[in-house]
Amino acid sequence: MKRMRKPVYFTAGYNTVSFGSGRKEFHPKKPRPGLEHYINEAGKGVLEQISDPDSIDEGVIGNFMAARFNRQGNLASLMVNIHPSLQYKPMVRVEGACGSGGLCLTTAVKSVLSETADVVLGVGVEVQNTVKAIYGADILAGAGHYAGERKEGHAYFFPAKFSDRAGACYAKYGHDKVRQAMARWYEQAILNARKNPRAQEYHNRIDDLFAAGMTPPNPRAFCEHINIYDCSKVSDGASALIVASEEGLDKIGIPKSRAVELAGFGVAVADITQPPPDQTKMTTVAAAVKKAYEMAGITSKDVGVLEVHDCFTIGGILELEAAQFVGEGEAFDFVLDGKTRFDAGIPTNATGGLIGFGHYTGGTGVREAVDLIHQLTGQAGDSQVSVPSDRPYGLMISMGGNDKTVVSCIFKKTS
Amino acid sequence: MTLDERLENVAVLGAAGKMGSGIVLLLAQEMARLKVLNPDRSYHLYAVDISEKALDGLMAYLRAQAVKAAEKGCVMLRELYKNRTDLVENYDIIDQFTNDVGSVIRPTTELSMAGKARMVFEAIVEDEEVKIRILKTLDGLCPDDTFYFSNTSSIPIHILDEGVGLDGCIIGYHFYNPPAVQKLAELISTQNTRKELIDISHEIAKRLRKKIIPSNDVAGFIGNGHFMRDILHAVAEVKRIAGTFPGVEGIYAVNKISQDFLIRPMGIFQLIDYVGVDVCQLIMKVMTAHLPDETLESDLINRMVGKKVIGGQYADGGQKDGFLKYEKNRPVGVYDIDKGQYVMFDMDGWTKKVDDRLGPLPEGWSAWRKLLMDPKKEEKLRICFGNLKTMDTPGAELAKAYFKRSEEIGKGLVKDGVAQNAEDVNGVLTNGFYHLYGPINDYLA
């Protein structure tokens, strides 16, 4: 079992608005902010919370596909644009598809643990509304195996991958229960998003969310087993935070009460050229979470707040099983019984998750960590859930591809 | 001859017009699909128009629309191109399909180029004599078994059949505007229409994903049979309420009643502008000429055409000014025909005063766009119109009168044998005019 050699803290989180369709101010034909804007907004949002930007030793930026969405590479260099004090400091860009944000976190953690840095600025960003969804699907399909499965794949490549998972679950556990659980998940995501002004679905005013979630799929235009409400939207946005040692917190003037301690983390990567061993299971998520639990020395019973990677409703639900909150095949009833709701046993995705808050792919893992910092330090505003004192841990799952590159982090309250 | 064989040579007359360009787009997509499936065969669509300049614009329009259609239909296109190993991403497939659509089209101003066509779709000016003359010329050039599809929205098909001497090889195939979007095609056959042509017409509709609703061969058919009489009611109402809503107020009020209170996609005067005030006048003339007991004519429409304030669309699809003035395709003013100028909606708060006098919308009201995809649309309409029934504000009274007249017109179309049944009338209005409900209903019963 791996242990961290010293305490590592996360603090000073900042999320931009998740921008895209659904936001009142969004118009596909009007000019929108670009990568630079989001990186700078999120980065400066962090710097405003710390006493001395010069204290930042390193930077890590998580991003998936700026080279195609924005024709921009060398993002580490773009990160320096946040503040002059970052000039000539070590910066690195990491990529693991939609799990890039999670990799950003663990890369920063490793810098602190290796003692090359006491304070690391982590940023996750993606700006995807530069192309229509049908072309964005091409770009996002890069998270799958291009040579092996793109030609045979669906126009909406990743929705179809998770549609296949939904179909397998219908067959194994019964169509109606699974379908209804997915619709409930959507309803819960939007209700949570409506509490958070930065969420992409904050303005969502659909009267009957469950009915919308139950919309029959349209295979001619989209996927066989899922509808558009089962999918996270196309998003622009960024999140940023500080990863620091105890000394680092002192340098930036942050008391421990405004930080969370990393209790454990796990990274698991599976072979992208191989199909999932079981469409009804997220085995790589399970592997990553298991490592995180072992490092933290806890179980799911100790977790009071949860952030899962629900790029699709079915994915979010299956992750509940992979993260050991319920047994195999039990997640659907768990959701239908309301156990993941804002005010229930294990509040999940309190700001809406990827379905409700939005999914700026390469930045989502950082967004999840920022939300858990806010939850565990009581700074979540209207999105604040009750975290019981006997379950002071927050767990997050950041996933790239179809359960291929997964990072799980567990944080705990410092006081 | 099979439909696939006929689709190897097709002509569209009036190809650069509003309706013709949409018909070209639909047919070219189907022909491109056949070309992919049968790479050894040739497919030619002769896009004939009198204006070279308009044909230049047509090609740009078609490319842009073909891209949009391919983007929307990419799920199916990936299946179509599954054997093309060089086409991997959606982008590759959309680009290829767009090129394939373009490659079948032969734009021309020479009618003789269409001489090989086995199917001719005409969408030229709504003028009986012109249609007969052009079709006669083409009949002399094309093979004897060529089938003709007329997009006329008002001229009885038997008049064209007899005038050209096509011996049942012509059928009414009335697309709705814009053809690429509207789901409806009214099919008008006569006693003389060949059965093979009727069968092929249904097959084409399936290929183009259109819903066919049959109409009997009576001038104006179902669509304009309702629309033109709807216009005349609106115009009469403007006159009737002139005492309380004088001048532009009446047009504004009736437009609002027909759009907001009746929850239609646009108000009646906006719809007239969309179709073209002059086109509406022409259709009324044609209908009057062929309907023995009814005169469809409006002084107001005639005056508007006389002043050349006729609406219609620019080449880029933008809305021209007519009864209403438009900015970014949205109404912003009303034409004062006596003063020859527009009175803007935001001038001195007059529209607010009219709105106040009309009174509030019924309880439970939702906008047309919001209800369009609402699974509880029917329930909500019933609640809203149920509340409308109990109201006695000027707006509610006008709306109820409008409702009643629309229903009378619909029932009249069935009684007069234009439509076979109420379902067909309602089908034309919901599929061709994008109404949420048909005129023959029990909402106010």
Side-chain angles (χ1 to χ4, degrees):
Chain A
M1 189 189 312
K2 303 289 184 192
R3 294 280 185 194
M4 284 185 285
R5 59 195 293 173
K6 61 192 282 189
V8 178
Y9 298 91
F10 281 52
T11 189
Y14 185 94
N15 296 326
T16 69
V17 162
S18 180
F19 198 53
S21 68
R23 294 289 304 186
K24 275 184 182 169
E25 65 273 32
F26 177 80
H27 190 296
K29 291 182 179 167
K30 287 187 178 167
R32 289 178 296 279
L35 269 178
E36 298 81 354
H37 168 89
Y38 286 106
I39 293 170
N40 277 319
E41 182 191 334
K44 289 180 197 302
V46 169
L47 298 194
E48 283 171 8
Q49 298 177 57
I50 65 175
S51 59
D52 181 11
D54 278 339
S55 302
I56 294 172
D57 299 309
E58 294 182 12
V60 185
I61 186 162
N63 172 263
F64 176 20
M65 276 286 190
R68 289 195 69 186
F69 278 120
N70 319 100
R71 305 283 195 270
Q72 179 66 60
N74 206 0
L75 288 197
S77 179
L78 205 51
M79 204 176 167
V80 179
N81 189 236
I82 295 169
H83 193 272
S85 68
L86 299 177
Q87 183 83 326
Y88 303 138
K89 289 185 176 170
M91 302 280 155
V92 64
R93 175 263 179 107
V94 292
E95 189 271 314
C98 302
S100 301
L103 291 179
C104 167
L105 305 178
T106 56
T107 304
V109 167
K110 288 173 183 177
S111 277
V112 174
L113 292 175
S114 70
E115 299 183 348
T116 60
D118 281 319
V119 180
V120 182
L121 174 63
V123 176
V125 66
E126 206 79 54
V127 176
Q128 303 176 109
N129 281 295
T130 51
V131 297
K132 291 182 180 176
I134 190 70
Y135 304 112
D138 275 337
I139 296 173
L140 296 173
H145 184 222
Y146 182 85
E149 54 185 356
R150 183 63 189 115
K151 174 59 188 169
E152 298 304 317
H154 195 277
Y156 294 97
F157 183 84
F158 265 97
K161 291 290 176 197
F162 282 82
S163 170
D164 291 346
R165 284 187 179 274
C169 290
Y170 295 159
K172 189 171 179 180
Y173 301 119
H175 173 276
D176 291 354
K177 180 164 76 174
V178 174
R179 181 60 263 174
Q180 286 171 18
M182 289 159 64
R184 277 290 169 230
W185 188 275
Y186 168 74
E187 178 186 52
Q188 171 188 303
I190 303 305
L191 290 175
N192 289 353
R194 286 176 181 170
K195 297 178 199 290
N196 190 312
R198 298 192 174 208
Q200 194 163 337
E201 293 290 333
Y202 178 65
H203 299 128
N204 183 312
R205 289 294 172 268
I206 293 177
D207 294 334
D208 191 340
L209 292 165
F210 181 73
M214 291 296 286
T215 303
N218 177 6
R220 282 187 70 89
F222 193 50
C223 294
E224 192 176 353
H225 300 298
I226 64 173
N227 60 46
I228 56 167
Y229 302 105
D230 290 312
C231 309
S232 52
K233 286 185 165 180
V234 176
S235 311
D236 299 346
S239 292
L241 45 66
I242 292 288
V243 179
S245 64
E246 198 160 356
E247 297 80 4
L249 286 184
D250 287 341
K251 286 183 189 174
I252 58 175
I254 296 271
K256 275 190 189 171
S257 61
R258 282 176 50 209
V260 296
E261 184 178 349
L262 181 66
F265 66 93
V267 181
V269 180
D271 185 350
I272 197 173
T273 69
Q274 299 300 313
D278 183 337
Q279 293 277 26
T280 65
K281 293 178 182 170
M282 309 289 269
T283 56
T284 315
V285 170
V289 174
K290 184 167 180 282
K291 292 179 191 187
Y293 281 144
E294 286 176 358
M295 189 185 286
I298 65 163
T299 71
S300 62
K301 291 185 173 58
D302 300 305
V303 175
V305 58
L306 180 61
E307 283 287 330
V308 300
H309 189 102
D310 61 335
C311 45
F312 302 94
T313 53
I314 189 68
I317 296 170
L318 291 177
E319 284 173 26
L320 298 172
E321 295 179 10
Q324 304 172 21
F325 287 92
V326 285
E328 185 181 329
E330 294 172 0
F332 306 102
D333 283 327
F334 194 69
V335 172
L336 287 169
D337 290 345
K339 301 284 177 58
T340 54
R341 291 173 64 98
F342 190 80
D343 53 358
I346 178 69
T348 303
N349 294 359
T351 60
L354 284 65
I355 301 274
F357 185 87
H359 184 26
Y360 32 89
T361 48
T364 285
V366 181
R367 195 275 305 158
E368 291 176 308
V370 170
D371 282 349
L372 287 181
I373 295 169
H374 289 158
Q375 290 292 350
L376 295 175
T377 57
Q379 300 179 83
D382 291 343
S383 297
Q384 183 69 53
V385 301
S386 170
V387 183
S389 56
D390 60 339
R391 290 192 287 135
Y393 293 90
L395 182 145
M396 59 160 278
I397 296 163
S398 172
M399 180 179 73
N402 186 6
D403 191 33
K404 293 303 179 195
T405 300
V406 182
V407 174
S408 177
C409 295
I410 298 172
F411 305 103
K412 68 176 177 184
K413 288 183 177 182
T414 53
S415 55
Chain B
M1 182 179 273
T2 66
L3 174 59
D4 281 1
E5 288 167 339
R6 287 185 181 275
L7 281 166
E8 289 177 22
N9 283 291
V10 178
V12 175
L13 313 182
K18 192 160 55 174
M19 299 301 290
S21 56
I23 296 169
V24 170
L25 175 66
L26 288 168
L27 291 168
Q29 288 181 71
E30 174 59 12
M31 292 163 75
R33 190 184 72 83
L34 290 173
K35 188 181 170 188
V36 175
L37 296 173
N38 307 288
D40 297 335
R41 306 190 79 90
S42 308
Y43 294 85
H44 297 127
L45 196 169
Y46 303 99
V48 186
D49 202 278
I50 53 172
S51 164
E52 277 198 35
K53 192 179 168 198
L55 284 172
D56 290 342
L58 171 69
M59 296 311 287
Y61 165 83
L62 290 173
R63 174 151 190 94
Q65 294 302 314
V67 168
K68 276 188 190 173
E71 288 170 349
K72 199 174 171 192
C74 195
V75 172
M76 308 307 286
L77 290 180
R78 286 190 76 87
E79 178 66 19
L80 182 66
Y81 289 106
K82 67 180 177 188
N83 295 326
R84 284 284 300 271
T85 54
D86 58 320
L87 305 176
V88 178
E89 297 206 324
N90 295 337
Y91 172 83
D92 303 328
I93 285 162
I94 290 163
D95 195 47
Q96 182 64 47
F97 185 68
T98 306
N99 288 336
D100 285 345
V101 168
S103 73
V104 304
I105 300 167
R106 303 281 184 279
T108 178
T109 54
E110 297 294 326
L111 189 60
S112 60
M113 285 281 287
K116 290 182 189 169
R118 293 305 182 86
M119 297 204 300
V120 174
F121 288 78
E122 75 79 10
I124 57 179
V125 64
E126 194 72 348
D127 183 307
E128 196 173 304
E129 284 181 23
V130 176
K131 281 187 195 285
I132 289 173
R133 178 163 50 81
I134 299 285
L135 290 176
K136 220 173 209 172
T137 305
L138 204 52
D139 185 39
L141 297 168
C142 291
D144 289 343
D145 60 355
T146 295
F147 283 153
Y148 296 83
F149 302 78
S150 175
N151 190 55
T152 179
S153 63
S154 59
I155 303 168
I157 299 304
H158 73 273
I159 298 287
L160 298 178
D161 191 9
E162 290 157 16
V164 183
L166 288 171
D167 194 20
C169 285
I170 184 168
I171 198 163
Y173 212 91
H174 179 211
F175 290 93
Y176 275 68
N177 185 21
V181 176
Q182 299 283 24
K183 288 177 283 186
L184 178 68
E186 258 183 299
L187 189 69
I188 305 105
S189 53
T190 71
Q191 289 185 336
N192 198 33
T193 308
R194 307 256 177 119
K195 184 179 179 306
E196 185 192 353
L197 175 52
I198 295 173
D199 292 343
I200 274 187
S201 295
H202 283 281
E203 178 64 20
I204 295 168
K206 275 188 205 157
R207 302 273 189 99
L208 305 185
R209 298 204 194 100
K210 297 297 168 195
K211 178 182 172 66
I212 287 279
I213 293 183
S215 170
N216 289 327
D217 192 25
V218 179
F221 317 123
I222 298 174
N224 279 333
H226 186 278
F227 179 35
M228 293 302 128
R229 292 174 177 99
D230 212 35
I231 292 174
L232 293 177
H233 172 71
V235 170
E237 287 290 84
V238 170
K239 200 171 174 183
R240 183 175 71 82
I241 63 174
T244 43
F245 296 96
V248 293
E249 289 187 5
I251 292 175
Y252 171 83
V254 172
N255 195 65
K256 182 182 171 75
I257 294 297
S258 52
Q259 177 166 14
D260 291 347
F261 281 75
L262 268 66
I263 319 182
R264 288 182 176 183
M266 56 177 79
I268 187 69
F269 289 102
Q270 187 179 356
L271 182 59
I272 295 169
D273 290 344
Y274 181 71
V275 172
V277 186
D278 54 338
V279 175
C280 292
Q281 183 195 46
L282 201 55
I283 291 169
M284 286 185 190
K285 277 185 186 167
V286 171
M287 289 176 68
T288 300
H290 292 286
L291 295 173
D293 304 322
E294 193 174 2
T295 299
L296 286 84
E297 192 175 9
S298 156
D299 284 347
L300 184 58
I301 297 273
N302 292 343
R303 285 180 69 200
M304 290 290 284
V305 176
K307 284 185 173 278
K308 295 190 169 53
V309 182
I310 55 173
Q313 270 102 48
Y314 294 105
D316 66 357
Q319 179 64 50
K320 291 181 183 173
D321 296 340
F323 277 103
L324 307 177
K325 184 173 181 59
Y326 299 87
E327 284 176 8
K328 294 179 181 172
N329 294 327
R330 291 188 174 181
V332 293
V334 184
Y335 189 66
D336 185 330
I337 199 163
D338 295 324
K339 293 182 181 164
Q341 63 188 37
Y342 285 95
V343 181
M344 305 305 283
F345 287 169
D346 59 3
M347 191 184 288
D348 302 330
W350 69 274
T351 52
K352 169 81 169 53
K353 287 176 191 162
V354 175
D355 292 345
D356 290 344
R357 267 185 285 153
L358 289 174
L361 292 162
E363 195 82 13
W365 179 89
S366 292
W368 171 83
R369 185 171 295 283
K370 197 173 175 199
L371 284 182
L372 190 60
M373 301 301 288
D374 191 328
K376 294 183 176 173
K377 173 180 72 180
E378 174 62 26
E379 186 187 322
K380 290 181 178 176
L381 284 173
R382 204 161 280 288
I383 291 169
C384 172
F385 292 140
N387 291 328
L388 174 70
K389 197 171 81 171
T390 65
M391 295 166 65
D392 59 1
T393 58
E397 294 300 340
L398 279 168
K400 284 188 274 190
Y402 212 110
F403 232 101
K404 191 178 163 202
R405 178 57 189 148
S406 178
E407 183 171 22
E408 280 171 5
I409 296 167
K411 286 181 174 172
L413 291 169
V414 179
K415 182 169 154 283
D416 295 342
V418 181
Q420 291 173 9
N421 49 52
E423 193 180 304
D424 286 350
V425 174
N426 288 345
V428 167
L429 271 295
T430 52
N431 291 287
F433 288 81
Y434 253 112
H435 288 190
L436 296 174
Y437 56 93
I440 304 175
N441 60 66
D442 61 354
Y443 292 136
L444 296 190

